[in-house]
Every structure is written in structure tokens, then in C-alpha cells.
Amino acid sequence: MNAPPKPLLILDVDETLLFAAETPLERASDFGLGPFYVYLRPHLDSFWKTCAESFTLAVWSSSGSDYLEGILSRIVPDDICLAFTWSRERCVRRYDAERQEYYFVKDLKKVKRLGYDLDQVLIADDTPQKVGRNYGNAVYVRPFLGEPADEELIHLGRYLTSLSGCSNFRKVEKRGWRNHV
Ligand SMILES: [Mg+2]
């Protein structure tokens, strides 16, 4: 008998899994990529492993594809296989009239078109605006700006694991998730 398919977990990159800046912080970066000093969020390696036990993993970033490929080649463990790696090209560009600036939206309709049942899809992102069309699938993460004592990924990994057996993620209130770990 085949094991049931794992639910899909889509991860944001910047400020969720790492912090990249053109100006270095006061501590040494984990690596450099082009003009960027890259600081990995603490516990990232164990977070990949924890999540891969319960989920099929994918990455969706609103950054450019060259940057994303460069980053992923450095941060994804060899034994982790990603279902897809999407960059800005897959986002929808929207204009915020109040702030007079463009922003990017990750619309899970595109994931549904691949055949995924959205009841079994979660997306973790530090920017609610980017997943506003699918808030029922979203788990909001505190933005990571390089703090060396950050523990968000430990808590997030535990929480996501606790959700993984749920038949419909969209029916679960996830906004106060830190109170459940
Ligand atoms: Mg982000």
C-alpha cells in the first residue's frame, strides 16, 4: 500500500529563512552572494529536516530567479528535494495606491493548477500582503533581520509538524500559532 501523499509546504526565503543585505551586520555573514551578505536564520538545517518528514517542500520567493537559484544552491541540504522553486516571475504585481509602490503577490491559484488540493497546502511567509489572497493557507512568520538568538524556526517546525495530519489547513485558525507550540 502506498503512503498517502504528504501535504505541500511552500516556504518564502528572504526574512523567513535568511537575511540578505548589501550592508553587513556587525557579525560575519554565513556567505556572500553577489553584493549581498547572507545571514542564515538559526536552526535552518534542522528546520529543513523537520519539515521534510511531514511535508513535500517547495520555495516561492518574490526575488529574481538568478538570486534565488544562487541562494538555494547554498541553503538547501543535498537530501532535500523541492517540488518547485518559483521566483518573482510567478508572482502577480500589484500597485498599492496608498504607499504608491508596487508589491508582489503569491497567488495559490497557480499551485492549484499544478494539481495540488489547496486544503493540503501551507505557505509560510513573513509578509502577509504577499499571501493575502490565500490567508487561509498562510502561516505568518516573524521577519528575520539577522538576530543571532532567533528561535522562530524551532517553534515554526514544531507547529507545522503538529498541523501536518490535518485534513483541511484552511479551516484551522493559524494566526495565533505561537500560542500552540
Ligand atoms: Mg519574505
Side-chain angles (χ1 to χ4, degrees):
M1 203 173 94
N2 294 329
K6 292 176 179 174
L8 179 69
L9 171 62
I10 305 167
L11 299 168
D12 173 46
V13 174
D14 286 297
E15 281 89 53
T16 295
L17 303 182
L18 55 83
F19 178 64
E22 293 191 60
T23 310
L25 303 176
E26 285 179 1
R27 63 187 173 94
S29 63
D30 290 292
F31 60 88
L33 182 74
F36 297 104
Y37 298 85
V38 180
Y39 299 84
L40 300 181
R41 196 164 209 166
H43 316 287
L44 178 58
D45 263 343
S46 55
F47 179 73
W48 283 119
K49 289 187 180 75
T50 301
C51 293
E53 283 170 16
S54 306
F55 293 91
T56 296
L57 300 177
V59 163
W60 196 349
S61 165
S62 57
S63 62
S65 56
D66 289 350
Y67 168 85
L68 182 63
E69 279 174 31
I71 286 285
L72 294 179
S73 71
R74 302 294 298 267
I75 70 165
V76 183
D78 289 342
D79 56 343
I80 300 284
C81 175
L82 299 175
F84 57 82
T85 57
W86 286 356
S87 56
R88 179 176 301 162
E89 291 75 20
R90 297 281 186 147
C91 297
V92 179
R93 198 169 76 140
R94 284 277 166 271
Y95 187 67
D96 183 333
E98 208 168 297
R99 293 178 166 201
Q100 301 194 353
E101 62 186 20
Y102 287 98
Y103 64 99
F104 293 94
V105 172
K106 301 170 185 177
D107 189 336
L108 294 186
K109 248 193 294 186
K110 297 189 180 185
V111 175
K112 192 176 172 191
R113 268 186 226 136
L114 293 182
Y116 289 97
D117 172 2
L118 293 189
D119 289 354
Q120 287 292 289
V121 174
L122 289 172
I123 182 164
D125 205 300
D126 65 288
T127 310
Q129 190 183 43
K130 289 187 182 165
V131 285
R133 288 190 181 178
N134 303 100
Y135 59 87
N137 298 90
V139 177
Y140 301 124
V141 181
R142 280 193 192 124
F144 174 62
L145 301 173
E147 308 85 334
D150 183 278
E151 293 192 335
E152 186 83 339
L153 292 183
I154 297 179
H155 303 303
L156 183 65
R158 272 184 209 144
Y159 176 65
L160 293 170
T161 301
S162 77
L163 277 189
S164 63
C166 175
S167 62
N168 185 351
F169 297 136
R170 296 193 283 186
K171 286 189 174 165
V172 180
E173 174 55 73
K174 295 175 286 298
R175 281 173 294 187
W177 67 265
R178 273 178 211 80
N179 301 325
H180 303 287
V181 290

